Amino acid sequence: MQIPHESTLLRIFLGENERWNHQPTYEAIVVKAREMQLAGATVLRGPMGFGKSSHLHTAKILQLSMDLPVVIEIVDSEEKISGFLPVIDGMLQGGLVTLEKVRVIEYRGAAPDAAGT
């Protein structure tokens, strides 16, 4: 799969406890992105953060929060990302969604091992 050098980065900020159809929302979004053949998705879990409510979520032992911040990043063509936005709109109850133009320098998978996998 190739993605254009001039692409779009979709970034979704949400809490790891958010659910959609009885599964973590971040998981449902990544699975849907794969089904729609987007180039790839990465989920990043943050040790600390706050959102619109200003409630602090942290992984510190004395202030343990079970709802840490999660960021999903997806890079693909502007057209494919635009087509994905209505899908995630129905999945998100809260959070922040951003888009930005990015320049893709290189996109390649790992080389197959000797067994060809």
Coordinates of all heavy atoms in Angstrom, one line a residue, residues 58-92:
T58 N -4.0 10.5 35.9 CA -2.5 10.3 36.1 C -2.3 8.8 36.4 O -3.1 8.1 36.9 CB -1.9 11.2 37.2 OG1 -0.5 10.9 37.3 CG2 -2.6 11.0 38.5
A59 N -1.1 8.4 36.1 CA -0.7 7.0 36.4 C 0.2 7.0 37.7 O 0.7 5.9 38.0 CB 0.1 6.4 35.3
K60 N 0.3 8.1 38.4 CA 1.1 8.1 39.6 C 0.4 7.2 40.7 O -0.8 7.1 40.8 CB 1.1 9.5 40.2 CG 2.0 10.5 39.4 CD 2.1 11.8 40.0 CE 3.0 12.7 39.2 NZ 3.1 14.1 39.8
I61 N 1.3 6.5 41.4 CA 0.8 5.5 42.3 C -0.2 6.0 43.4 O -1.2 5.4 43.7 CB 2.0 4.8 43.0 CG1 2.8 4.0 42.0 CG2 1.5 3.9 44.2 CD1 4.1 3.4 42.5
L62 N 0.1 7.2 43.9 CA -0.7 7.8 45.0 C -2.0 8.4 44.4 O -2.9 8.7 45.2 CB 0.1 8.8 45.8 CG 1.2 8.2 46.6 CD1 2.0 9.3 47.3 CD2 0.8 7.2 47.6
Q63 N -2.1 8.6 43.1 CA -3.2 9.2 42.5 C -3.7 8.4 41.3 O -3.9 8.9 40.2 CB -2.9 10.7 42.0 CG -2.4 11.6 43.1 CD -2.0 12.9 42.5 OE1 -1.7 13.0 41.3 NE2 -1.8 13.9 43.4
L64 N -3.8 7.1 41.6 CA -4.0 6.2 40.5 C -5.4 6.4 39.8 O -6.4 6.5 40.4 CB -4.0 4.7 41.0 CG -4.0 3.6 39.9 CD1 -2.8 3.8 39.0 CD2 -4.0 2.3 40.6
S65 N -5.3 6.6 38.5 CA -6.5 6.8 37.6 C -6.5 5.6 36.7 O -5.6 5.2 36.1 CB -6.4 8.1 36.8 OG -7.4 8.1 35.9
M66 N -7.7 5.0 36.6 CA -7.9 3.9 35.7 C -8.3 4.4 34.3 O -8.6 3.6 33.4 CB -8.8 2.9 36.2 CG -8.4 2.3 37.6 SD -6.7 1.6 37.5 CE -7.0 0.2 36.5
D67 N -8.4 5.7 34.1 CA -8.9 6.2 32.8 C -7.8 7.1 32.3 O -8.0 8.3 32.2 CB -10.2 7.0 33.0 CG -10.9 7.4 31.7 OD1 -10.6 6.7 30.7 OD2 -11.7 8.3 31.7
L68 N -6.7 6.6 31.9 CA -5.6 7.3 31.3 C -5.9 7.9 29.9 O -6.7 7.3 29.2 CB -4.3 6.5 31.4 CG -3.8 6.2 32.8 CD1 -2.6 5.2 32.7 CD2 -3.5 7.4 33.5
P69 N -5.2 8.9 29.5 CA -5.4 9.5 28.2 C -4.9 8.5 27.1 O -3.9 7.8 27.3 CB -4.6 10.7 28.2 CG -4.1 11.0 29.5 CD -4.3 9.7 30.3
V70 N -5.6 8.4 26.0 CA -5.2 7.6 24.9 C -5.3 8.5 23.6 O -6.2 9.3 23.5 CB -6.2 6.4 24.7 CG1 -5.9 5.7 23.4 CG2 -6.1 5.5 25.9
V71 N -4.3 8.4 22.8 CA -4.2 9.1 21.5 C -4.1 8.0 20.4 O -3.3 7.2 20.4 CB -3.0 10.1 21.4 CG1 -3.0 10.8 20.1 CG2 -3.1 11.1 22.6
I72 N -5.0 8.2 19.4 CA -4.9 7.3 18.2 C -4.4 8.2 17.1 O -5.0 9.3 16.8 CB -6.3 6.8 17.8 CG1 -7.0 6.0 19.0 CG2 -6.2 5.9 16.6 CD1 -8.4 5.8 18.8
E73 N -3.4 7.7 16.4 CA -2.9 8.5 15.2 C -3.0 7.6 14.0 O -2.7 6.4 14.0 CB -1.4 8.9 15.4 CG -1.3 9.9 16.5 CD 0.2 10.4 16.6 OE1 1.1 9.8 16.0 OE2 0.3 11.5 17.2
I74 N -3.6 8.2 12.9 CA -3.8 7.6 11.6 C -3.3 8.5 10.5 O -3.7 9.7 10.5 CB -5.2 7.2 11.4 CG1 -5.7 6.3 12.5 CG2 -5.4 6.5 10.0 CD1 -7.2 6.0 12.5
V75 N -2.4 8.1 9.7 CA -1.9 8.9 8.5 C -2.4 8.2 7.3 O -2.1 7.0 7.1 CB -0.4 9.0 8.6 CG1 0.1 9.8 7.3 CG2 0.1 9.7 9.8
D76 N -3.0 8.9 6.4 CA -3.4 8.4 5.1 C -3.7 9.6 4.2 O -3.5 10.8 4.6 CB -4.5 7.5 5.2 CG -4.5 6.4 4.1 OD1 -4.2 6.7 2.9 OD2 -4.8 5.2 4.4
S77 N -4.2 9.3 3.0 CA -4.5 10.4 2.1 C -5.7 11.3 2.7 O -6.4 10.8 3.5 CB -4.9 9.9 0.7 OG -6.2 9.2 0.8
E78 N -5.8 12.5 2.3 CA -6.8 13.4 2.7 C -8.2 12.8 2.4 O -9.1 12.8 3.3 CB -6.7 14.7 2.1 CG -7.7 15.7 2.6 CD -7.5 17.1 2.0 OE1 -6.6 17.3 1.2 OE2 -8.3 18.0 2.4
E79 N -8.3 12.2 1.3 CA -9.6 11.6 0.9 C -10.0 10.4 1.8 O -11.2 10.3 2.2 CB -9.6 11.1 -0.6 CG -9.4 12.2 -1.6 CD -7.9 12.7 -1.7 OE1 -7.0 11.9 -1.3 OE2 -7.7 13.8 -2.1
K80 N -9.1 9.5 2.1 CA -9.4 8.4 2.9 C -9.7 8.8 4.4 O -10.6 8.3 5.0 CB -8.3 7.3 2.9 CG -8.3 6.6 1.5 CD -7.2 5.5 1.5 CE -7.8 4.2 2.0 NZ -6.9 3.1 1.8
I81 N -8.9 9.8 4.9 CA -9.2 10.3 6.2 C -10.6 11.0 6.3 O -11.3 10.8 7.2 CB -8.1 11.2 6.7 CG1 -6.7 10.5 6.8 CG2 -8.4 11.9 8.0 CD1 -6.7 9.5 7.9
S82 N -10.9 11.8 5.3 CA -12.2 12.5 5.2 C -13.3 11.5 5.2 O -14.4 11.7 5.8 CB -12.3 13.4 4.0 OG -11.4 14.4 4.1
G83 N -13.2 10.3 4.5 CA -14.2 9.3 4.5 C -14.3 8.6 5.8 O -15.4 8.0 6.1
F84 N -13.3 8.6 6.6 CA -13.3 7.9 7.9 C -13.9 8.8 9.0 O -14.4 8.2 10.0 CB -11.9 7.5 8.3 CG -11.7 6.6 9.5 CD1 -12.3 5.4 9.4 CD2 -11.0 7.0 10.6 CE1 -12.2 4.5 10.5 CE2 -10.9 6.1 11.7 CZ -11.5 4.9 11.6
L85 N -13.9 10.1 8.9 CA -14.4 11.0 9.9 C -15.9 10.7 10.3 O -16.2 10.7 11.5 CB -14.3 12.4 9.5 CG -12.8 12.9 9.5 CD1 -12.7 14.4 8.9 CD2 -12.2 12.9 10.8
P86 N -16.8 10.5 9.3 CA -18.2 10.2 9.7 C -18.3 8.9 10.5 O -19.2 8.8 11.3 CB -18.9 10.1 8.4 CG -18.1 10.8 7.4 CD -16.7 10.6 7.9
V87 N -17.4 8.0 10.2 CA -17.5 6.7 11.0 C -17.1 6.9 12.4 O -17.8 6.4 13.3 CB -16.5 5.7 10.3 CG1 -16.4 4.4 11.1 CG2 -16.9 5.4 8.9
I88 N -16.0 7.6 12.7 CA -15.6 7.8 14.1 C -16.6 8.8 14.8 O -16.7 8.7 16.0 CB -14.2 8.3 14.2 CG1 -14.0 9.7 13.6 CG2 -13.2 7.3 13.7 CD1 -12.6 10.3 13.9
D89 N -17.3 9.7 14.1 CA -18.2 10.6 14.7 C -19.3 9.8 15.5 O -19.7 10.2 16.6 CB -18.9 11.5 13.6 CG -19.8 12.5 14.3 OD1 -19.3 13.2 15.2 OD2 -20.9 12.7 13.8
G90 N -19.7 8.7 15.0 CA -20.7 7.9 15.6 C -20.2 7.1 16.8 O -20.9 6.5 17.6
M91 N -18.8 6.9 16.9 CA -18.2 6.1 17.9 C -17.8 6.9 19.1 O -17.7 6.4 20.2 CB -17.0 5.4 17.4 CG -17.2 4.5 16.2 SD -15.7 3.9 15.5 CE -15.9 2.2 15.6
L92 N -17.6 8.2 19.0 CA -17.0 9.0 20.0 C -18.1 9.7 20.8 O -19.0 10.3 20.3 CB -16.1 10.1 19.5 CG -14.8 9.6 18.8 CD1 -14.1 10.8 18.1 CD2 -13.9 8.9 19.8

